[in-house]
Amino acid sequence: MSVNVGKHVRDTSVMAATRKKMTSTLVFNAIILLASLVFLFPLAWIFITSMKDQMDILKHPLSIIPSEFMLVENMKEVLRRAPWGVFYKNTIIVAVVVLVAQLCISIPAAYAFSSFKFKFQSFFYLFVLARLLVSPESLLLPNYLIINGLHLYNTLLGIALPSFASAISIIIFRGAFMEIPTALRDSARIDGCGDFRYMLVIGIPMIKSRIIAFSITSLVYQWDSYFWPMVITESVQMRTLAVGLAYFGIQAESASEWGLTMSAAILVILPLLVALVFFQRQLVDSFVTSGIK
């Protein structure tokens, strides 16, 4: 009798724990779903508005489904009014040049901080950390004066140059290099492998996930960058996508044409959405393994 009672108590405890776990899972999934809807709503609104004409957008009461799908017509008009091919080319050039420069500077610097002992090492690394405390806005005037003094105003190099050195990438890569066992480097040195070759052949492949994660954030940041490219350029031929979109939105003939403005916004964000769809697994894996949030 006591055995049956004990078994019943255990079964009841297991069922209670199972119900508690299921309830927690349902609550967690509900919160994630709600948060997803909140984040997806602006994106959905952009796509819905881009499919409407001006009368349909201003109609009262507001309708979600367009009375007439105008996405193709709106896109044709958007492409006619602005040189989006030039904006795309400028943005891609700036983003790629900045990323390559950041990797070429940050990886050797991080390897030096993690592998060597030199005079004033702590001071220099503290200087790198201090850079994170300086807001980009406070560097706007010094960067402008330097770029203007180098006669790089209204050039793509002038847009990209201030972003060549990245403190956060040095910190990330330094932490990644320090996670590599020192015995591996010692074995490579015994086999005649120099530091530069070790960094290229062994070190960089072992921190590949960190490099991918940082590269993604860098490309997205440069793709969305607006304030500095707006300040340092003045001609249409030097504008990036974000600046081109802003100027398109405030033009007198299109300031109130929200269908065209939202269609132009789709042109800007579409490559990022396509990359997210096709490389979602690789993106998640790289961020998870790198520890970047």
Side-chain angles (χ1 to χ4, degrees):
M1 183 68 178
S2 60
V3 175
N4 293 333
V5 173
K7 182 179 181 181
H8 177 72
V9 172
R10 287 194 300 270
D11 293 342
T12 304
S13 301
V14 171
M15 292 177 62
T18 303
R19 284 196 297 268
K20 184 177 180 180
K21 184 178 180 180
M22 291 179 61
T23 302
S24 301
T25 302
L26 289 175
V27 172
F28 178 76
N29 291 337
I31 294 174
I32 294 297
L33 178 60
L34 181 61
S36 301
L37 292 176
V38 171
F39 283 105
L40 289 176
F41 178 78
L43 186 61
W45 192 258
I46 290 175
F47 278 95
I48 292 173
T49 306
S50 67
M51 299 178 185
K52 299 179 179 180
D53 58 17
Q54 190 67 8
M55 295 298 296
D56 201 7
I57 294 172
L58 301 178
K59 184 173 64 175
H60 186 78
L62 184 66
S63 62
I64 301 298
I65 301 176
S67 58
E68 184 180 0
F69 289 91
M70 299 292 294
L71 179 60
V72 176
E73 289 76 8
N74 288 342
M75 283 294 183
K76 290 180 179 179
E77 184 64 19
V78 168
L79 293 173
R80 185 187 68 83
R81 291 190 183 185
W84 293 99
V86 175
F87 299 159
Y88 265 104
K89 181 195 70 174
N90 294 342
T91 304
I92 293 173
I93 291 175
V94 170
V96 172
V97 169
V98 167
L99 177 60
V100 172
Q102 287 176 337
L103 295 180
C104 291
I105 295 173
S106 300
I107 292 177
Y111 181 76
F113 277 120
S114 64
S115 303
F116 302 140
K117 299 296 181 182
F118 51 89
K119 195 174 182 179
F120 302 121
Q121 180 182 17
S122 299
F123 172 77
F124 286 124
Y125 188 67
L126 184 62
F127 185 77
V128 174
L129 291 174
R131 173 60 184 86
L132 299 179
L133 304 178
V134 181
S135 64
E137 290 77 12
S138 63
L139 297 176
L140 181 65
L141 181 58
N143 285 339
Y144 179 85
L145 294 176
I146 293 173
I147 295 300
N148 196 40
L150 295 174
H151 304 289
L152 295 177
Y153 179 79
N154 198 40
T155 64
L156 296 182
L157 183 57
I159 299 175
L161 188 58
S163 300
F164 279 7
S166 171
I168 188 64
S169 62
I170 294 176
I171 296 171
I172 292 172
F173 298 153
R174 173 183 175 271
F177 279 125
M178 292 182 70
E179 293 175 3
I180 301 175
T182 55
L184 184 62
R185 187 179 63 182
D186 294 338
S187 299
R189 285 178 174 175
I190 293 174
D191 292 336
C193 181
D195 287 302
F196 185 72
R197 183 183 176 189
Y198 171 82
M199 182 187 70
L200 290 180
V201 179
I202 300 176
I204 291 179
M206 294 191 69
I207 66 167
K208 181 176 64 174
S209 61
R210 307 285 180 96
I211 295 176
I212 294 175
F214 172 76
S215 299
I216 294 168
T217 57
S218 176
L219 290 173
V220 172
Y221 181 84
Q222 296 301 325
W223 192 273
D224 296 335
S225 181
Y226 166 72
F227 196 59
W228 173 250
M230 179 196 67
V231 170
I232 206 64
T233 59
E234 62 179 0
S235 65
V236 175
Q237 298 302 316
M238 291 294 114
R239 289 176 184 167
T240 57
L241 278 171
V243 180
L245 175 62
Y247 277 93
F248 180 88
I250 63 176
Q251 287 176 358
E253 66 272 17
S254 64
S256 61
E257 295 176 332
W258 299 112
L260 297 182
T261 304
M262 296 301 119
S263 298
I266 290 177
L267 286 179
V268 176
I269 65 178
L270 188 60
L272 299 180
L273 295 178
V274 172
L276 177 62
V277 170
F278 284 97
F279 301 103
Q280 182 178 6
R281 183 174 181 180
Q282 290 84 345
L283 295 181
V284 174
D285 290 344
S286 63
F287 278 105
V288 170
T289 55
S290 67
I292 296 180
K293 300 180 180 178

